[in-house]
Amino acid sequence: MATSTVILLVCLLGTLNTVQCQHEEANPEDVENNGEIDSIPVEENYTVSALIERANKNAGQELDDPEIVEGDIAVYTGLQNADPCTSRGCKWQRSSNGNVYVPYVIANQFSQRERAIIEKGLQSFAQSTCIRFTRRTSQKDYVNIQSRSGCWSYVGRRGGEQVVSLARSGCVYHQVVQHELLHALGFNHEQCRSDRDSHVRILYQNIIRGLEYAFNKINTNNLGTPYDYGSVMQYGRYAFSRNRQATIVPYPNPNSVIGKASQMSRMDIMRINRLYGCRR
Ligand SMILES: [Zn+2]
């Protein structure tokens, strides 16, 4: 069992607790966005990580949820690191026609509208990569998309059924769907990249106590791609902040826009294609 890491995008302590998700079915762009809340610009509330933090406030508290040991990355049964697993067999298999079929089922908990958003997210991978999310028939390994508590996924293929949780309250957004599925494909967060210190500064003093190690570097395979502030796997500037101060600051230019992707970036796509050897 090479891969037992779970990425649990958890708002353990909810630095954004004061921001209620009043529009749980609203698109972030539709939500009023003028002003600031508690010194964090409102626009920051709709970064991938802020959406996820908020949705995951209570994640991991149900009996059958994986144990949450980090704010965003939770360990299921002991493994700390994630995407190095891709060199140890946690990739999904490429078929002889060059496509990588990832079987899925979607629980019937979701509304038609939510289901459409999830399906759109799944199908978006086919537009620019060789990943093909396809309805499961009888395949052994597959992704089971459910509304559990919070937004979370395992990293890479675990073998057998693996849950991707997209809680109806707060996770069913295009960018979050893509983010969680990228975990299932074997990708970790951008700020955990092995070369991140050349591109971001992590302000540990502002991180929620006990979650510092969610910002640890991982010996990632960066696939020859540059660090990407616009990756859908990049957390926002205030992710897991305990004091409403920034936790991730771009370097050397601290004013660079970071962590605001509304969909997979060009680089996210390139990485998928490289990891899975897609012929493009
Ligand atoms: Zn994540």
Side-chain angles (χ1 to χ4, degrees):
M1 184 60 73
T3 319
S4 46
T5 306
V6 146
I7 294 268
L8 243 162
L9 301 139
V10 178
C11 178
L12 276 184
L13 302 173
T15 49
L16 300 176
N17 277 353
T18 50
V19 185
Q20 296 301 315
C21 191
Q22 295 163 346
H23 303 260
E24 68 175 57
E25 294 212 284
N27 193 300
E29 287 82 22
D30 297 334
V31 177
E32 203 175 349
N33 185 10
N34 55 358
E36 292 193 344
I37 294 177
D38 293 336
S39 80
I40 297 177
V42 166
E43 58 183 20
E44 291 287 343
N45 292 325
Y46 294 97
T47 62
V48 170
S49 52
L51 286 168
I52 286 167
E53 278 196 46
R54 193 161 50 239
N56 287 2
K57 207 166 66 173
N58 298 312
Q61 294 178 6
E62 291 177 9
L63 279 179
D64 54 351
D65 282 343
E67 184 188 2
I68 301 163
V69 298
E70 297 186 11
D72 166 71
I73 299 175
V75 176
Y76 193 70
T77 51
L79 262 189
Q80 278 77 39
N81 284 350
D83 76 22
C85 76
T86 53
S87 61
R88 301 193 303 262
C90 81
K91 287 200 292 185
W92 297 79
Q93 216 170 14
R94 196 147 59 103
S95 77
S96 52
N97 70 7
N99 285 336
V100 176
Y101 295 97
V102 181
Y104 73 90
V105 296
I106 300 178
N108 55 18
Q109 303 160 286
F110 297 99
S111 72
Q112 210 170 8
R113 180 185 168 279
E114 291 161 346
R115 204 182 168 87
I117 292 171
I118 294 168
E119 296 269 8
K120 183 173 169 240
L122 290 164
Q123 299 318 319
S124 67
F125 286 80
Q127 289 159 16
S128 46
T129 77
C130 61
I131 304 294
R132 299 288 180 273
F133 286 97
T134 48
R135 296 247 170 113
R136 175 183 185 243
T137 51
S138 60
Q139 294 89 342
K140 179 177 149 291
D141 299 344
Y142 66 101
V143 170
N144 188 345
I145 300 172
Q146 303 180 344
S147 173
R148 304 266 285 261
S149 58
C151 334
W152 48 264
S153 170
Y154 295 88
V155 176
R157 182 183 56 82
R158 288 190 86 211
E161 173 196 85
Q162 67 185 77
V163 172
V164 168
S165 175
L166 295 171
R168 295 185 66 191
S169 52
C171 300
V172 186
Y173 293 100
H174 185 65
Q175 61 269 47
V176 177
V177 174
Q178 288 186 330
H179 180 108
E180 298 305 337
L181 293 171
L182 277 164
H183 283 317
L185 290 173
F187 292 95
N188 215 300
H189 296 124
E190 198 71 357
Q191 69 272 7
C192 295
R193 274 173 66 129
S194 54
D195 61 350
R196 67 103 187 274
D197 290 335
S198 305
H199 307 283
V200 292
R201 290 286 180 261
I202 305 295
L203 303 183
Y204 282 95
Q205 68 272 27
N206 297 333
I207 296 171
I208 295 171
R209 295 280 159 77
L211 297 184
E212 293 88 348
Y213 60 106
F215 292 76
N216 285 349
K217 272 191 290 189
I218 294 174
N219 186 23
T220 50
N221 173 4
N222 300 323
L223 297 155
T225 58
Y227 195 97
D228 182 13
Y229 295 143
S231 168
V232 80
M233 304 308 278
Q234 169 68 58
Y235 268 14
R237 195 178 283 265
Y238 300 93
F240 300 102
S241 174
R242 68 185 185 91
N243 55 10
R244 302 190 178 96
Q245 305 289 307
T247 55
I248 304 175
V249 176
Y251 175 87
N253 179 358
N255 298 318
S256 297
V257 173
I258 185 168
K260 294 195 175 176
S262 56
Q263 59 182 350
M264 288 192 287
S265 69
R266 202 168 57 84
M267 227 39 89
D268 288 326
I269 290 165
M270 184 183 291
R271 254 174 252 160
I272 298 171
N273 286 327
R274 290 190 178 173
L275 183 64
Y276 281 95
C278 301
R279 292 190 291 265
R280 304 287 307 169

